[in-house]
Amino acid sequence: FQAEDGIRDQPRSRGLGDVYKRQRVHSGFQDAYESVRKGLISHMIKLRTNYDGMWRRFEVEITGHSLGGALSTLLAVELEALGFRIARVTTFGSPRVGDWRFADYYDEKLGDRTHRFTHAHDAVPSLPPRLLGYHHVATEVFQNAEGEYVVGDGSGEDPNGSDSEWTHASLSDHLTYLGMEVCSCNMP
């Protein structure tokens, strides 16, 4: 199903049971994830198989910036459903990945292990817009324009977070997190 607003029902043909039963994610993020999914999942399963005894003691940490943050969110859901132990998911400047059902499902499974960093005037976390039905996963850690960090209320859409800034127009804020440049992106 492809909706006009770009939200697509998550497919259930992956053998993941109820993971994607009624949640919806943005079709562009789903397509991007599908383009790398097979390689990522097969590699993780191969590692788990080859190092079975050692693997049981390890946990997976997942991180990503921008589109990589959206893909990290989707990967975390799938790896958790496949029985991988997820220690932490950390994203920087991630867009809204899906609707509130997806965010609720994600938060139930991984919300206590997720930190979604946002930065003052970074436009990407405000996309796609909430008025189209999109909702962030928890928990936001917002660096405001004064450089202070504000930990969100766990709702994914904390009114004191990135949506409290009305001027989302800074490329610099999207490319700089925790005082470090996270992506030079071949820009002058």
Side-chain angles (χ1 to χ4, degrees):
F1 171 74
Q2 175 78 35
E4 287 181 30
D5 62 6
I7 293 180
R8 176 183 299 158
D9 289 333
Q10 280 279 11
R12 286 184 277 167
S13 60
R14 296 189 186 151
L16 297 178
D18 290 333
V19 172
Y20 298 116
K21 193 169 186 177
R22 287 181 289 189
Q23 299 80 28
R24 298 188 313 167
V25 301
H26 186 278
S27 60
F29 302 142
Q30 180 65 35
D31 290 346
Y33 180 65
E34 288 297 327
S35 75
V36 297
R37 177 187 173 271
K38 183 178 178 183
L40 282 170
I41 299 300
S42 64
H43 184 69
M44 294 298 291
I45 290 171
K46 183 178 178 180
L47 283 171
R48 182 168 62 183
T49 303
N50 289 346
Y51 301 100
D52 183 54
M54 195 169 55
W55 189 261
R56 294 172 201 202
R57 296 189 311 265
F58 290 101
E59 296 178 314
V60 178
E61 294 193 21
I62 302 169
T63 189
H65 171 255
S66 198
L67 174 60
L71 302 184
S72 295
T73 300
L74 295 173
L75 177 64
V77 169
E78 186 161 9
L79 288 180
E80 196 272 339
L82 291 171
F84 287 84
R85 292 178 17 196
I86 309 298
R88 184 174 11 261
V89 180
T90 308
T91 65
F92 301 92
S94 179
R96 291 181 179 98
V97 177
D99 68 1
W100 66 267
R101 288 178 215 81
F102 175 80
D104 281 352
Y105 179 83
Y106 182 94
D107 294 345
E108 178 185 313
K109 299 292 183 181
L110 296 156
D112 63 335
R113 293 169 276 165
T114 298
H115 289 96
R116 187 177 51 76
F117 284 83
T118 59
H119 187 191
H121 304 291
D122 183 353
V124 174
S126 64
L127 301 171
R130 286 184 355 189
L131 75 108
L132 294 179
Y134 295 93
H135 193 92
H136 270 302
V137 300
T139 291
E140 180 178 18
V141 179
F142 173 60
Q143 182 183 5
N144 63 25
E146 291 76 39
E148 301 165 334
Y149 291 93
V150 179
V151 178
D153 61 9
S155 70
E157 298 291 349
D158 188 305
N160 298 310
S162 64
D163 271 356
S164 68
E165 298 284 339
W166 288 97
T167 55
H168 293 292
S170 174
L171 180 60
S172 174
D173 281 2
H174 183 63
L175 301 178
T176 306
Y177 274 87
L178 303 177
M180 297 180 289
E181 189 175 289
V182 294
C183 174
S184 62
C185 302
N186 298 322
M187 305 186 98

